[in-house]
Amino acid sequence: MNASPQGPNASPPSPNASQPSPQWKRVVVKLSGEALQGGLTHGLDSATLDRIADDLAAAAGLGAEIAVVVGGGNFFRGIRGAEKGIERARADSIGMLATVMNALALEYAIEKRGQPARALSAVPMPSVCQPFSRQAALHHLDKGRIVILAGGTGNPFFTTDTGAALRAAELSCDAIMKATQVDGVYSADPKKDPAATRYERLTHDEAIAKNLAVMDTAAFALARENRIPIIVFSIAEPRAITAALSGEGRATVVAP
């Protein structure tokens, strides 16, 4: 992956050539709920949760400031609930609660590895975790804690992709790291179309014009307006986040 550091928080080159250096100092990692279920049909797979927690802790160990926006599709997806007859706003609220369950599990898994973490929810539930505020999130990042952001935007009709782009803009992040099941952005679903071609680099405008489904249009547009690059990579391999963060992994860069 050939990507240049972006934004005011981009880290300088590491003085130790043998030690990977993060290409971006502060990032939002967008992690789907499905990524946490591993080979299960739903819920949390403990081995997968541990692997991702290891990876996030290692990424923080490189010196990067890490925020994670986590989805809830391994428990409940609002759009699917709406398709089954639940009012869309209510279905999305259920989905937001699912993201909190994942955030709490991920927070605990990360802290078991000796890496401080804090779960913050856009849907206030102070008896469970800290309510999200920009000031609180920035404070935890400054203290070296991994911040897990739950509850999406706190509003129905918005995806967690849009939530990731919103939080990246709010927290002055240098990049959005979109973890998927494939190693970048393709012209079509490579699992269904063997002729699908993979992009090394795209602009936000190209991603929107080509209607590439790796993120929704609102997320792409918000990232474009704030000139935040999006790094699309596969979460399937161990240390995938660390590799993408250090520019060593196979990924697609969507940038201005």
Side-chain angles (χ1 to χ4, degrees):
M1 174 178 66
N2 296 317
S4 300
Q6 302 283 335
N9 294 320
S11 60
S14 171
N16 182 356
S18 64
Q19 173 67 29
S21 178
Q23 297 236 344
W24 300 274
K25 178 61 177 176
R26 181 182 296 164
V27 299
V28 163
V29 177
K30 168 55 175 67
L31 188 66
S32 70
E34 288 89 346
L36 298 174
Q37 73 186 32
L40 304 177
T41 58
H42 64 280
L44 289 164
D45 176 66
S46 59
T48 301
L49 180 65
D50 286 343
R51 174 174 60 79
I52 292 174
D54 279 336
D55 199 0
L56 287 166
L62 295 179
E65 297 175 1
I66 309 290
V68 182
V69 170
V70 64
N74 54 324
F75 289 114
F76 190 92
R77 287 178 63 85
I79 189 68
R80 291 179 186 170
E83 290 170 355
K84 294 180 180 179
I86 302 175
E87 179 190 23
R88 175 62 190 272
R90 195 178 302 268
D92 281 352
S93 294
I94 299 171
M96 288 181 226
L97 297 179
T99 71
V100 176
M101 292 192 286
N102 284 333
L104 293 174
L106 194 56
E107 176 191 47
Y108 179 62
I110 292 169
E111 291 201 317
K112 282 197 302 182
R113 282 145 181 82
Q115 167 62 47
R118 294 291 186 276
L120 278 64
S121 174
V123 180
M125 47 184 75
S127 63
V128 174
C129 61
Q130 185 175 355
F132 171 80
S133 72
R134 179 175 182 270
Q135 292 81 0
L138 289 172
H139 171 75
H140 291 311
L141 290 170
D142 187 57
K143 294 294 184 182
R145 298 163 185 150
I146 294 176
V147 176
I148 302 110
L149 301 167
T153 67
N155 299 285
F157 303 102
F158 290 95
T159 68
T160 49
D161 281 347
T162 300
L166 174 63
R167 297 298 180 233
E170 284 183 297
L171 301 177
S172 302
C173 290
D174 302 310
I176 300 165
M177 301 184 66
K178 166 73 173 180
T180 70
Q181 299 302 312
V182 293
D183 58 352
V185 180
Y186 285 78
S187 58
D189 186 343
K191 296 179 180 178
K192 298 178 180 178
D193 183 357
T197 57
R198 180 180 170 278
Y199 299 100
E200 287 288 338
R201 193 174 185 92
L202 291 160
T203 66
H204 297 97
D205 285 333
E206 287 172 333
I208 293 170
K210 293 176 185 294
N211 197 29
L212 300 174
V214 68
M215 293 185 86
D216 63 74
T217 302
F220 275 130
L222 190 54
R224 177 187 60 186
E225 290 168 12
N226 291 278
R227 301 188 65 79
I228 304 171
I230 304 167
I231 318 305
V232 183
F233 66 101
S234 172
I235 194 65
E237 300 297 326
R239 297 299 175 98
I241 297 169
T242 308
L245 182 62
S246 59
E248 298 174 354
R250 183 174 166 87
T252 297
V253 178
V254 183

